[in-house]
Amino acid sequence: MSTAHHDGNALAGPLREVFAVDLTTAVLRCPDCGRRGAVASLRVYLDAPGLVARCPGCDAVTLRLVSAPGRTWLDIRGPVEIALAPEARAAGE
Amino acid sequence: MGAMPIVSPGFTGRARRPDPSLPPGQYLTEDFPVLSAGPTPRIARENWEFVITTETGQRRTWTWPQLVALPTRTVTVDLHCVTKWSKLATTWRGVALDTLVEGVDTAADFVLVYSYGGYTTNLPLEDLLDGKAWIAFEYEGEPLEPEHGGPARLLVPHLYLWKSAKWVRGMRLSLEDEPGFWESVGYHDYGDPWREQRYQGD
Amino acid sequence: MAAVTEVRAETSTARTVVLDVPDWPGHLPGQHVDVRLTAPDGYTAQRSYSIASATDATRVELTVQRADGGEVSPYLTEILDVGYPLELRGPVGGWFVWRPDAAAPVLLVAGGSGIVPLMAMIRTRGSSGSRVPFRLVYSVRSPADVYYADELRRRVRDDAGLDVAFAYTRAAPDAVPVGRVSPETLSAHGWPATFEPACFVCGPTGFVEAMADTLVGLGHAPGLIRTERFGGDP
């Protein structure tokens, strides 16, 4: 089993279940070190009881997502800027 | 995805079988999956410590030499992960929490366990006592590998394995039950595999 | 719900699966799908796969590498066959995408199976008639590991403005040196940073991070480099 992390592109599907827009282009500001970057650039750990995304600068946990049958829990730390421009929507929307 | 999953013809998945002697919803596995929420901490034993802090702020600390000088137990236990795999008859050596908590003056009912790397998990204090939990540092006769939680991890096998905090560093005794890392995003505060307590409200 | 209409080998361990997906909304190159498999007892496994094809009505192609010890890829590369159903979620992903109306020259850096979403970009460039200049640097272990070899040769010949350079890290053709992609490789076969190319880097996590660091070291602005990490080494 791979222990190398993935990146926030892997969050596109799970977040799409919760939000009507693609969130991988949203810009997140790390509450610990202040780094600003796209959700797609977060370090994502997939082999866990839930999805965990960490700041690529300081490894602080910035996003957690747990999916259970019929329920999803989401914790996002830090301010998130979501551009509701046409480019942020999945193709065909 | 769609509401009704369609069976994928010919798909059986990782070698596993359901077994009526397992807790509900679990599958038996022969390997030992590594699940991690972050990079593996690398802690040298000379820097390692374990701390118990009571609700009044009193602290007791053990260095690595102090921990391994305590009486240890070798136990063979079954592991049940909330991601549905179970691994039976695993052998560990460690110090019972009874040994560490003995003589600690507390009225606390709850514990928040914390680890190197920032992981936390909560459980009732009584679930760590009476021979139910250990600070384990050997697995199958060998020093515990970092990817499985070494130098030492909590082992509390009667609950789902996310409660057996890897890279354990200490615990805070508390009058209140404070949710840990997974409990604060949906996982169950107690986590009994036999009652299938995976998520809040189960 | 998709149905398999064709399967074809890319290498001895990788296969392209062609799917018919009714109600497919179309996709941008670089996007992926999440594939979910369900066993008769309800056990499920899920993995993400990049779309390999340019958007084309209800037809979607995935190219899957068989991973040793994997759970989903052995099924997709060895058991799945024409007529089988396949459950997909997607297309998803809005970050690692190339839009044909973007004018900047494009640098694609692929490590192993990381070529898949970049091939979707190359195919989209072809089908849209785009004249945006593309350069691909494709790192593989050996010539036998190259996906789309014939098609890449044909496109270099026919789709004016596409250049492809290979790096062979374990075994190379005669007279070609073995070695990783170096700063010199990216300098010689990529675009100068002053051209402000859009850079797309995809492959194993270690490869992607090394290549992104190299590009920054060559002067490319971090904001122009988009990355997609496939986790551990293939």
Side-chain angles (χ1 to χ4, degrees), chain B residues 53-197:
Chain B
T53 307
T54 72
E55 71 278 18
T56 60
Q58 300 204 322
R59 285 168 51 105
R60 295 195 65 190
T61 309
W62 291 264
T63 62
W64 186 264
Q66 289 171 332
L67 180 83
V68 298
L70 293 170
T72 64
R73 294 286 318 279
T74 297
V75 296
T76 298
V77 299
D78 299 337
L79 307 178
H80 306 296
C81 180
V82 75
T83 62
K84 302 200 169 181
W85 60 264
S86 290
K87 188 171 175 62
L88 303 185
T90 61
T91 300
W92 303 78
R93 188 160 84 93
V95 175
L97 265 297
D98 295 293
T99 305
L100 297 169
V101 174
E102 186 184 331
V104 169
D105 186 20
T106 181
D109 289 325
F110 300 102
V111 171
L112 184 70
V113 180
Y114 58 95
S115 299
Y116 290 99
Y119 183 75
T120 56
T121 188
N122 59 307
L123 67 168
L125 176 58
E126 66 179 4
D127 285 85
L128 291 176
L129 303 178
D130 299 322
K132 295 198 290 288
W134 301 267
I135 301 298
F137 51 86
E138 272 181 23
Y139 170 68
E140 302 294 343
E142 298 291 330
L144 185 62
E145 299 275 356
E147 65 174 4
H148 286 299
R153 74 180 296 167
L154 176 64
L155 182 66
V156 55
H158 71 282
L159 301 177
Y160 280 119
L161 199 59
W162 92 74
K163 300 282 182 181
S164 293
K166 294 193 275 192
W167 315 294
V168 73
R169 184 174 190 174
M171 53 196 230
R172 281 194 289 276
L173 307 182
S174 167
L175 303 174
E176 304 287 322
D177 193 12
E178 182 192 333
F181 185 86
W182 288 121
E183 297 85 356
S184 59
V185 274
Y187 281 97
H188 201 276
D189 278 315
Y190 187 65
D192 178 358
W194 297 97
R195 287 180 283 167
E196 207 167 6
Q197 294 175 336

Side-chain angles (χ1 to χ4, degrees), chain A residues 19-75:
Chain A
F19 294 98
V21 295
D22 172 70
L23 272 200
T24 58
T25 54
V27 177
L28 194 91
R29 185 174 156 285
C30 177
D32 286 8
C33 76
R35 177 193 175 277
R36 290 181 76 251
V39 167
S41 68
L42 298 175
R43 288 184 184 153
V44 170
Y45 294 84
L46 300 180
D47 293 327
L51 298 178
V52 177
R54 291 176 175 265
C55 173
C58 72
D59 260 340
V61 174
T62 47
L63 188 153
R64 291 177 295 163
L65 189 151
V66 169
S67 298
R71 290 179 287 174
T72 296
W73 288 267
L74 177 63
D75 175 55

Side-chain angles (χ1 to χ4, degrees), chain C residues 194-215:
Chain C
T194 49
F195 284 24
E196 298 187 331
C199 301
F200 294 94
V201 185
C202 186
T205 296
F207 173 86
V208 167
E209 295 187 342
M211 292 297 97
D213 286 346
T214 302
L215 289 170

